[in-house]
Amino acid sequence: AQKITQTQPGMFVQEKEAVTLDCTYDTSDPSYGLFWYKQPSSGEMIFLIYQGSYDQQNATEGRYSLNFQKARKSANLVISASQLGDSAMYFCAMRGVTGGSYIPTFGRGTSLIVHP
Amino acid sequence: KAGVTQTPRYLIKTRGQQVTLSCSPISGHRSVSWYQQTPGQGLQFLFEYFSETQRNKGNFPGRFSGRQFSNSRSEMNVSTLELGDSALYLCASSSDRQSYNEQFFGPGTRLTVL
């Protein structure tokens, strides 16, 4: 079975500073994908970044980067230069084979609040 | 390009009833996935449809079912509603090439079971 753990229920950061949101995962599948999503208070999930298990380079998308440490089974999200609009819930997820189906598993999320 | 749309946005039902939720994917997307989000269980995958066929399935009872039409629109049905089915139901679409990389989510349908 696959599992995602996000140990930080809430995080606070000052505007313009960088912040790291932690995510560890567990799977026996050698081929998997790791994702981060943002969910503002409006409820809509927004895709941020993807990392494949065989990707050699850490994924980056604008101000978002994924710090992928395969041996440690961690996939931390780094947001540089935080903005007030970054305040939201952030979910780490992975997609791998479970019971014959290729399904996504989500963590419980981290609530990020950006202070001015 | 229009985003993923879900109807209705809010729904109130009573125990024992059944409900049908609708999802229209982004034009050109052939994959539609459904998720349930609750405070207690978090975000859980229900099932995924691709070209009218269920491609992947999560661990939910048979009361939860879905289908996809030839225009890629999808419906999700829950029969014999229970109080625990109260949740935000999210639909997501992706193109066939990006099926496992990037999904675009709709605003969700908030279902309340009384």
Side-chain angles (χ1 to χ4, degrees):
Chain A
Q2 53 193 34
K3 185 178 178 181
I4 292 283
T5 302
Q6 294 180 254
T7 57
Q8 307 155 313
M11 288 284 285
F12 296 87
V13 66
Q14 201 77 23
E15 192 179 8
K16 299 179 185 176
E17 291 185 348
V19 62
T20 298
L21 306 184
D22 295 340
C23 172
T24 58
Y25 62 91
D26 191 21
T27 180
S28 55
D29 188 357
S31 177
Y32 51 88
L34 295 158
F35 308 77
W36 277 92
Y37 291 90
K38 171 184 177 182
Q39 187 177 40
S41 56
S42 60
E44 190 165 338
M45 297 282 284
I46 302 167
F47 166 81
L48 295 177
I49 197 165
Y50 166 81
Q51 178 90 38
S53 59
Y54 295 117
D55 294 341
Q56 297 296 314
Q57 305 272 357
N58 284 346
T60 59
E61 290 286 347
R63 294 187 298 111
Y64 304 106
S65 61
L66 197 152
N67 185 1
F68 181 44
Q69 298 188 44
K70 196 169 184 176
R72 292 186 175 185
K73 294 190 174 180
S74 75
N76 298 340
L77 177 71
V78 180
I79 305 175
S80 63
S82 298
Q83 301 172 356
L84 296 179
D86 293 335
S87 295
M89 282 292 290
Y90 287 81
F91 292 94
C92 178
M94 73 175 298
R95 191 149 191 172
V97 176
T98 298
S101 281
Y102 194 58
I103 69 171
T105 300
F106 287 76
R108 297 310 300 267
T110 295
S111 175
L112 176 67
I113 296 176
V114 181
H115 288 299
Chain B
K1 206 176 207 182
V4 178
T5 57
Q6 291 186 245
T7 56
R9 292 292 311 279
Y10 302 90
L11 204 50
I12 300 175
K13 292 284 188 180
T14 56
R15 278 182 299 174
Q17 287 187 310
Q18 77 164 21
V19 67
T20 299
L21 312 181
S22 180
C23 171
S24 293
I26 290 172
S27 178
H29 283 191
R30 295 162 63 189
S31 169
V32 174
S33 296
W34 287 90
Y35 298 84
Q36 181 196 64
Q37 187 175 26
T38 61
Q41 298 298 320
L43 195 63
Q44 294 182 287
F45 172 76
L46 281 155
F47 30 67
E48 177 191 10
Y49 285 85
F50 181 81
S51 291
E52 303 179 63
T53 301
Q54 189 179 87
R55 180 156 70 173
N56 292 294
K57 187 178 186 303
N59 189 25
F60 275 80
R63 299 186 298 108
F64 292 83
S65 63
R67 60 178 175 169
Q68 187 179 33
F69 302 95
S70 58
N71 62 357
S72 294
R73 189 178 72 84
S74 177
E75 287 182 347
M76 190 194 88
N77 185 76
V78 187
S79 62
T80 319
L81 283 166
E82 301 176 1
L83 295 179
D85 297 334
S86 293
L88 179 67
Y89 289 89
L90 294 166
C91 162
S93 77
S94 58
S95 66
D96 49 355
R97 284 190 180 180
Q98 294 179 324
S99 178
Y100 302 132
N101 288 5
E102 181 175 354
Q103 290 188 318
F104 297 86
F105 282 78
T109 293
R110 186 162 297 279
L111 172 65
T112 302
V113 182
L114 303 176

